[in-house]
């Protein structure tokens, strides 16, 4: 596959995969969510702690910071002795979050009045009389509308979950672009051929997003809409033909789980994909997927620009793990948390009904423990929650197994929720990778189950251990009401962004408002749980678990 380059962020991807695993900078990830000023963590330092270190502080001293939060450029250093550092930071931020537009490549592109007006009801058949609206409609978004990225002013770096730019936690406004329909558009609907592709694994809500993209495209007046079957693979496999899509085809697809178009990982090179798009006349591409898939979408966008193709590439973030940067949440997450309650409740009943019963539930979360944390909070039945971001010992006086012994002695039963990426250090390392370039994880749930049985057998205490892994049952569910609304709005706004002439962007929800982000800014590394955040503290309060280090 062609090597992928990032002009707007220092991002590298595996050139062999278009499944495009998200670039992961493990040595930075946890410090980004806490604080670190010129600080290198000790080998055994707990991640997520707010740690301050200043060098040469005094009159005229230069105090610099490393990356600390997702709003700051990766690897950037700021000279805080410069009195103008704050406006410089804001200008840099605005530059990075400026949305790529067709006019960047085609400065002479002339917009036309939008064909999206809910007061028009029925667009004229072939727009022979232009693009009329029967009256002025105040439902458009101004291109200068912005949404505040962060809304908390942390007064101290030691505040729970603090994300600070400088040692004084100075308040710096960071604005991102508001999503929605624009009054002027850069594509004539009758000339558009739009394609939708779903990549990666299954996730609740895929069909909902597909449905809304198709419906919104038809409202604009687009007649040619196709689905690319089985991810990026559908661009190269001659046996996989395009699927014609219309409102009639997608009307009820949201009533079932999975993806109408199918999913897969990996695929052809970027050049092959763009060659196929040229050949088929595709000038709008909607890509539904996670970090790796978005890296592929951004590479397609870059290649289209290089070839001077008038194409809009728009992503819709799909990750059940909720691990996309800068966004409140991604679709499928709420459904996963809700469906996990069934597994947790079953584990609780099994454990509570048995003599010395212990129930284990393994939930999704390769590098981010959001599902496990939120599911534990929601259930109120979990005694121990283990996530990838927080290290733990299994054995020893402060280990998980010792606490399970305490729970059996005091409560008579226990329920443990563990994210799939937790405790990987206890498992045999493997170099195996899936088609997206993700390292194949060992099964921490089975390992802890076996270690628990062995531990209680060795101390002569009977224990009835049950293990539940509902992963694929959760992935295959249809979206719940909350995710259904999120998917609907994301799908609509993806179409609005494409018609507005933006490309190389993704749509998300930020501080309850829908916004557009440049793709490179959201795929630098996976979003993860901050162990110093209030939400993780709430989870610890709910479970009552101790520190397992």
């Amino acid at each position: 596959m062609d090597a992928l380059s990032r002009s707007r962020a220092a991002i590298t991807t595996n050139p062999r995969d278009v499944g495009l695993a998200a670039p992961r900078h493990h040595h930075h990830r946890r410090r980004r969510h806490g604080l670190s000023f010129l600080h290198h963590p000790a080998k055994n330092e707990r991640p997520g702690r707010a740690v301050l270190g200043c060098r040469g502080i005094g009159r005229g001293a230069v105090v610099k910071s490393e990356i600390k939060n997702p709003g700051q450029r990766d690897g950037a250093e700021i000279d805080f002795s410069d009195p103008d550092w704050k406006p410089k930071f804001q200008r840099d931020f605005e530059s990075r979050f400026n949305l790529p537009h067709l006019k960047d490549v085609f400065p002479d592109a002339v917009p036309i009045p939008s064909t999206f007006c809910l007061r028009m009801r029925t667009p004229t058949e072939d727009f022979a009389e232009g693009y009329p609206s029967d009256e002025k409609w105040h439902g458009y978004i101004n291109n200068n509308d912005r949404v505040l990225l962060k809304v908390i002013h942390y007064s101290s770096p030691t505040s729970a979950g603090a994300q600070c730019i400088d040692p004084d936690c100075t308040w710096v406004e960071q604005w991102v672009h508001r999503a929605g329909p624009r009054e002027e558009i850069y594509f004539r609907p009758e000339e558009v051929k739009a394609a939708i592709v779903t990549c990666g694994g299954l996730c609740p809500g895929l069909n909902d997003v597909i449905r809304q993209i198709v419906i919104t495209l038809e409202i604009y007046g687009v007649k040619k809409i196709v689905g690319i079957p089985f991810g990026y693979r559908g661009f190269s496999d001659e046996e996989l033909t395009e699927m014609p899509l219309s409102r009639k085809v997608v009307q009820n697809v949201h009533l079932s789980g999975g993806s109408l178009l199918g999913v897969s990982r990996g695929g052809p090179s970027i050049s092959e994909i763009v060659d196929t798009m040229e050949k088929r006349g595709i000038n709008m591409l909607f890509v539904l997927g996670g970090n790796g898939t978005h890296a592929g979408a951004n590479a397609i966008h870059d290649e289209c620009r290089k070839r001077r193709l008038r194409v809009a590439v728009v992503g819709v973030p799909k990750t059940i793990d909720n691990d996309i940067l800068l966004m409140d949440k991604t679709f499928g997450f709420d459904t996963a948390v809700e469906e996990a309650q069934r597994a947790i409740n079953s584990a609780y009943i099994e454990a509570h009904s048995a003599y010395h019963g212990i129930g284990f539930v393994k939930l999704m979360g390769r590098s981010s423990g959001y599902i496990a944390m939120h599911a534990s909070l929601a259930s109120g039945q979990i005694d121990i929650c283990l996530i990838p971001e927080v290290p733990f010992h299994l054995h020893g006086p402060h280990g998980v197994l010792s606490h399970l012994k305490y729970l059996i002695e005091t409560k008579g039963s226990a329920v443990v929720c563990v994210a799939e990426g937790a405790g990987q250090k206890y498992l045999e390392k493997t170099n195996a990778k899936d088609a997206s370039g993700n390292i194949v994880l060992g099964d921490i749930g089975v390992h802890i189950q076996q270690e628990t049985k062995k531990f209680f057998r060795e101390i002569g205490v009977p224990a009835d251990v049950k293990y539940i892994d509902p992963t694929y049952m959760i992935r295959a569910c249809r979206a719940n009401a909350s995710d259904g609304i999120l998917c609907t709005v994301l799908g609509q706004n993806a179409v609005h962004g494409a018609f507005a002439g933006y490309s190389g962007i993704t749509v998300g929800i930020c501080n309850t408002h829908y916004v557009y982000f440049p793709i490179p800014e959201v795929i630098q590394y996976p979003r993860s749980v901050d162990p110093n955040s209030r939400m993780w503290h709430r989870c610890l309060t709910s479970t009552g678990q101790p520190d397992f280090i």
Side-chain angles (χ1 to χ4, degrees), residues 354-374:
Y355 178 66
H356 290 179
I358 301 175
F360 286 96
V361 178
K362 186 185 79 172
L363 298 176
M364 290 153 289
R366 291 183 57 87
S367 58
S368 304
Y370 284 102
I371 293 179
M373 177 176 69
H374 282 257

Side-chain angles (χ1 to χ4, degrees), residues 504-524:
I505 67 166
T506 191
V507 60
I509 185 169
C510 178
N511 293 323
T512 72
H513 295 280
Y514 292 87
V515 300
Y516 295 132
F517 294 109
I519 290 177
E521 295 300 330
V522 301
I523 62 172
Q524 295 183 61

Side-chain angles (χ1 to χ4, degrees), residues 340-348 361 363 375-376 379 381-382 415 417:
Q341 301 307 300
R342 301 187 186 189
I344 291 174
N345 190 52
S346 296
Y348 172 79
V361 178
L363 298 176
S376 298
S379 73
Q381 297 171 317
I382 297 297
V415 183
C417 179

Side-chain angles (χ1 to χ4, degrees), residues 398-424:
H398 303 293
V400 172
L401 296 177
S402 292
H403 188 59
L404 279 175
K405 177 175 177 289
Y406 167 78
L407 291 171
I408 291 298
E409 292 172 347
T410 56
K411 289 181 58 182
S413 64
V415 183
V416 180
C417 179
V418 56
E420 62 179 318
Q424 289 297 305

